[in-house]
Amino acid sequence: MKLRLEHPAWRRLAASLARGLARVSLGGTRSSLHGDPEGKAILQSEGPVIFALWHGHLLSCLYLGTIFCRSKFPIVVMASPSRDGEIVSDLALGLGYGVVPGSRHKGGFRALQNLTTHLRQGESAALTADGSRGPIHVAQKGVLYLSRETDTPILPVAAASSRKITLNTWDRFEVPLPLGQNTFLVDAPIRVGSRDRGAALEKQRQHLEARLNHLFRLSQDFFSQP
């Protein structure tokens, strides 16, 4: 029997393979935490935060989050209601995250409402700042709206891997390989005020984008530095 990519059995298998890959590639390697002191302090506290990351670092960040963000669990992840999003959703659920379906193109407003409820209940959230379709490394405003409406700090994060494959996808998705080293990178928190609207909100968006791109550049060179 030919198993089509849209078949539910394939999606379940793909998620299981992704979880297995994450455990093999990341679970048997040395992992570390690196970054801004205030960001690391907030990361290890119990208060809710909104994790913001680029889509290409999703796999490593989900797994490394189970190591360095235990005080934040349960963390609720927004996942696109698409075939790829279902794989991400199953992967996140298998690693102990909660999932809210939604994207900028489908169900995004309702997803933000649901995440708002979770944050006000003291839970943390995680979003890919460049969304589920890009453009790559261009921050969207959803994470800023969420921060503003819940008075919750945004914590920019990224992942660095000494051995990895970079896929030829829109997001340049990174797959860590076994026998390497992995580092969870965290920057200083970003706080969006209740008056940050219009031009002020756009300035915050550019600030978030710059922070995440700084982390991305750091992740690419992290293991090549002397």
Side-chain angles (χ1 to χ4, degrees):
M1 179 181 69
K2 184 176 181 180
L3 188 60
R4 297 180 181 274
L5 293 180
E6 66 270 17
H7 195 284
W10 160 249
R11 293 199 296 268
R12 289 192 296 270
L13 176 61
S16 296
L17 289 173
R19 285 196 298 272
L21 175 63
R23 290 191 176 101
V24 170
S25 299
L26 295 163
T29 59
R30 186 173 61 190
S31 298
S32 60
L33 176 65
H34 177 85
D36 177 82
E38 184 184 1
K40 290 195 289 185
I42 288 179
L43 177 68
Q44 297 169 338
S45 70
E46 294 185 357
V49 298
I50 303 169
F51 294 97
L53 58 142
W54 290 144
H55 199 278
H57 282 171
L58 182 58
L59 179 59
S60 294
C61 282
L62 281 176
Y63 188 86
L64 292 172
T66 67
I67 300 173
F68 297 109
C69 308
R70 293 308 306 177
S71 63
K72 300 299 185 188
F73 273 71
I75 299 173
V76 184
V77 178
M78 181 189 287
S80 170
S82 62
R83 286 202 303 269
D84 291 345
E86 287 184 28
I87 295 173
V88 171
S89 177
D90 289 345
L91 169 62
L93 289 169
L95 292 173
Y97 292 84
V99 174
V100 168
S103 70
R104 181 177 61 170
H105 303 281
K106 187 176 181 181
F109 179 71
R110 177 172 294 182
L112 289 176
Q113 287 181 315
N114 288 338
L115 288 174
T116 296
T117 299
H118 284 284
L119 287 164
R120 287 175 176 165
Q121 291 173 345
E123 300 176 24
S124 292
L127 294 86
T128 53
D130 48 357
S132 59
R133 299 184 186 178
I136 185 172
H137 297 175
V138 175
Q140 299 172 10
K141 290 183 178 178
V143 64
L144 301 171
Y145 292 140
L146 197 59
S147 175
R148 185 184 67 194
E149 297 305 311
T150 62
D151 192 29
T152 305
I154 299 169
L155 202 59
V157 297
S161 300
S162 63
R163 300 185 71 246
K164 65 187 178 185
I165 295 173
T166 301
L167 303 183
N168 189 25
T169 53
W170 73 264
D171 57 352
R172 306 296 292 166
F173 195 83
E174 295 184 6
V175 180
L177 297 174
L179 306 178
Q181 299 179 55
N182 300 281
T183 297
F184 194 55
L185 304 170
V186 57
D187 207 336
I190 296 173
R191 293 174 173 85
V192 182
S194 60
R195 296 184 179 180
D196 285 340
R197 301 173 187 275
L201 190 66
E202 171 60 18
K203 186 176 180 179
Q204 288 278 40
R205 188 200 67 77
Q206 294 174 6
H207 183 49
L208 172 62
E209 186 175 297
R211 290 283 194 89
L212 284 171
N213 280 326
H214 166 73
L215 286 181
F216 177 77
R217 290 189 295 271
L218 181 62
S219 75
Q220 302 305 292
D221 299 331
F222 192 82
F223 289 104
S224 62
Q225 298 174 0

